[in-house]
Amino acid sequence: MMNSDVRAETVAHDREVAEIERLREERRLGLAFGPGLEPAYQLDYQQRAAAAFRYGSILVFLLYALLGTGIYVFMPERDTRSWLALYGGIGGILLLAGALSHVRRLNSWFNVYMGLCGFGAVTLSVAVTGVVHEVEAGQLIQAAIIYTLVIVYGVVGLRFQYAALAGWTGGLAGLALSSMLGGSLSWEILSRTYVGASVMGMFMAYYAERRDREMFLQSRLLQIEKWRSERYVEELDKLSREDGLTGLANRRHFDESLQQEWRRASRQKSSLAVLMIDVDNFKHFNDKLGHPEGDRCLRRVANLLAAHARRPGELVARYGGEEFVMIFPDTDHQQAVHIAEHVLDCIREARIPQPDGLERWYVTVSIGVSATVPSERLTPSRLLVASDQALYAVKRNGRNGWWFQSPETHSVSSVQFKDASWMM
């Protein structure tokens, strides 16, 4: 079964898919999602925009510098100083924006700092037109305005509203700055360049963001589908390794783990122990109380056993029916017997009622114990067989106890036995 975190995430994904499908059906012209998707889009967009400008800022600066050299050739000497101050300021803003994009902690502030840099660049590009009097240089400067606006609206990756705010407020601030510097602006040229480029840039920015939002929705659907596929594969793998009734490892998982721990113990020359556990008189329990109660009894025993396997490599599995098996790496004969005694005590203390008809009032278990250091003469299956033989030795001697047998021993009569009668 899914845990609570996975279940909650599944519900959230289902809601998100429903919201995405609704947005795609409506095909609204607005540039905003609902409260569930908009924050995720904002974060994703700014991360991608900052990463793109991080590597594109150098090319943008180089192209701007190349345009500046063309303007400088035609710049009259009397305007050179003012032009260099303003035009160089724009270049400095481009460098600052590129440097800020390399500070990854500022990615979530990308629209803010890039919007301010765009505002400054537009302000200076408009203001510089008022300090140039040469016709040829003025035409190049008009081209520089268009270039700056294209950068603000279409290159740096600002969202539509930030780009529009930076473009228009920057233009107004540029007019004010030019007036403060005593410049004279050609309104006809300015309207054809600044206004025309701004309107065109707004369409570019709007269309780019619309496309980006559509791509984001598609990407989110793919991500959710991938997440679902991974959870489905995990669930199938879990089901193939987990016992459906008790939630413990199943026989397949146990067999794989035993082989793995055997190889590890063989490499490390350490001891490996296996405990085979059987719920005593379980058929009587089922016959008297029914299978639903029998299932509840097995689940309770499983939970008690699971509490004894907490270290890495330790495993509790349902071997079949009312039989369980436990693996304990780095555990020798004495340690394995000690664990068996603890398990017996734990089951007794749980006081699971046993139905009438037996001498015992509470459910008990029998435990077959085996431990060894792997060698070339032995196999994992031999260790398992030894614990199984020890289990049946306990059952023949009254149940409710443990019996140890070494896998090197092929005869049941030579096992070490702890009398179970005192545990009755």
Side-chain angles (χ1 to χ4, degrees):
M1 297 179 62
M2 292 186 297
N3 61 43
S4 58
D5 291 338
V6 174
R7 191 179 297 109
E9 194 167 358
T10 300
V11 171
H13 284 327
D14 290 341
R15 291 175 179 170
E16 187 172 334
V17 169
E19 177 67 11
I20 290 174
E21 294 298 339
R22 184 186 66 80
L23 290 171
R24 296 177 72 180
E25 288 177 3
E26 290 181 357
R27 299 186 65 83
R28 296 181 303 175
L29 294 178
L31 294 180
F33 298 139
L37 283 172
E38 188 64 25
Y41 173 75
Q42 293 286 351
L43 179 61
D44 178 75
Y45 183 91
Q46 293 187 118
Q47 296 282 352
R48 289 185 288 107
F53 190 73
R54 193 174 299 136
Y55 299 102
S57 58
I58 297 177
L59 179 60
V60 170
F61 178 79
L62 291 177
L63 291 175
Y64 191 77
L66 182 63
L67 180 62
T69 59
I71 298 175
Y72 183 78
V73 172
F74 296 97
M75 185 62 57
E77 185 175 352
R78 61 175 177 166
D79 297 331
T80 300
R81 180 175 299 178
S82 299
W83 173 80
L84 280 176
L86 296 175
Y87 200 83
I90 299 174
I93 290 174
L94 291 176
L95 288 176
L96 175 62
L100 291 175
S101 69
H102 281 80
V103 183
R104 299 178 189 272
R105 289 180 298 178
L106 297 178
N107 284 353
S108 59
W109 294 86
F110 176 81
N111 281 318
V112 175
Y113 71 72
M114 193 59 71
L116 292 174
C117 288
F119 165 81
V122 173
T123 297
L124 295 181
S125 66
V126 171
V128 77
T129 61
V131 300
V132 177
H133 302 89
E134 193 69 29
V135 175
E136 290 82 357
Q139 291 174 344
L140 288 174
I141 287 176
Q142 301 299 325
I145 292 178
I146 296 175
Y147 179 77
T148 302
L149 290 171
V150 168
I151 291 175
V152 171
Y153 281 104
V155 176
V156 300
L158 278 172
R159 289 187 55 213
F160 171 75
Q161 58 265 47
Y162 287 93
L165 185 62
W168 289 107
T169 58
L172 294 175
L175 293 175
L177 179 59
S178 177
S179 177
M180 291 173 58
L181 296 175
S184 58
L185 293 169
S186 172
W187 294 100
E188 181 181 357
I189 296 177
L190 192 64
S191 63
R192 289 202 305 263
T193 55
Y194 169 73
V195 176
S198 294
V199 173
M200 181 183 67
M202 288 177 64
F203 279 109
M204 289 172 55
Y206 177 83
Y207 179 76
E209 185 170 340
R210 275 298 302 261
R211 290 287 298 169
D212 189 78
R213 285 178 175 270
E214 291 175 0
M215 295 286 288
F216 172 78
L217 294 180
Q218 185 64 32
S219 174
R220 288 296 297 170
L221 288 176
L222 291 174
Q223 290 174 13
I224 292 172
E225 187 61 31
K226 179 182 177 183
W227 182 88
R228 285 174 171 172
S229 298
E230 290 174 350
R231 298 294 83 75
Y232 181 69
V233 171
E234 289 177 1
E235 192 66 20
L236 285 179
D237 182 68
K238 182 179 179 182
L239 290 174
S240 70
R241 295 169 173 270
E242 184 181 278
D243 176 60
L245 176 64
T246 63
L248 298 177
N250 60 15
R251 177 74 174 269
R252 174 190 171 188
H253 191 183
F254 165 76
D255 290 339
E256 293 174 354
S257 297
L258 179 60
Q259 293 288 339
Q260 179 181 340
E261 294 304 325
W262 182 270
R263 289 192 295 269
R264 180 181 295 127
S266 181
R267 290 193 305 268
Q268 299 175 354
K269 304 301 180 184
S270 59
S271 182
L272 179 66
V274 169
L275 275 63
M276 185 74 73
I277 303 163
D278 184 83
V279 179
D280 295 331
N281 306 113
F282 187 69
K283 184 178 184 304
H284 173 80
F285 191 102
N286 262 344
D287 291 343
K288 289 288 187 178
L289 301 181
H291 289 284
E293 284 298 323
D295 290 346
R296 276 189 281 272
C297 175
L298 290 179
R299 283 193 290 267
R300 190 167 180 187
V301 170
N303 292 334
L304 294 171
L305 296 179
H308 290 81
R310 300 187 179 277
R311 296 185 305 167
E314 295 181 346
L315 180 74
V316 182
R318 187 184 181 197
Y319 199 66
E322 67 273 20
E323 285 190 335
F324 300 88
V325 64
M326 306 175 76
I327 301 175
F328 291 97
D330 299 315
T331 303
D332 59 20
H333 167 200
Q334 296 298 330
Q335 292 170 324
V337 167
H338 186 64
I339 293 172
E341 291 176 343
H342 272 285
V343 170
L344 287 169
D345 291 341
C346 180
I347 299 296
R348 292 195 205 96
E349 291 169 2
R351 293 182 174 270
I352 303 172
Q354 179 72 268
D356 296 339
L358 296 176
E359 296 178 358
R360 297 182 177 89
W361 290 1
Y362 302 106
V363 169
T364 60
V365 296
S366 299
I367 305 176
V369 185
S370 186
T372 190
V373 176
S375 66
E376 295 181 0
R377 297 183 299 104
L378 297 174
T379 61
S381 60
R382 182 57 206 163
L383 178 65
L384 187 61
V385 167
S387 64
D388 191 47
Q389 291 174 341
L391 172 63
Y392 279 97
V394 178
K395 295 169 73 171
R396 286 195 303 270
N397 285 272
R399 297 186 173 90
N400 189 24
W402 60 263
W403 199 323
F404 177 86
Q405 177 169 325
S406 171
E408 288 88 352
T409 304
H410 295 275
S411 172
V412 179
S413 62
S414 61
V415 300
Q416 292 175 271
F417 173 65
K418 183 171 182 179
D419 186 5
S421 61
W422 67 277
M423 301 177 184
M424 303 287 284

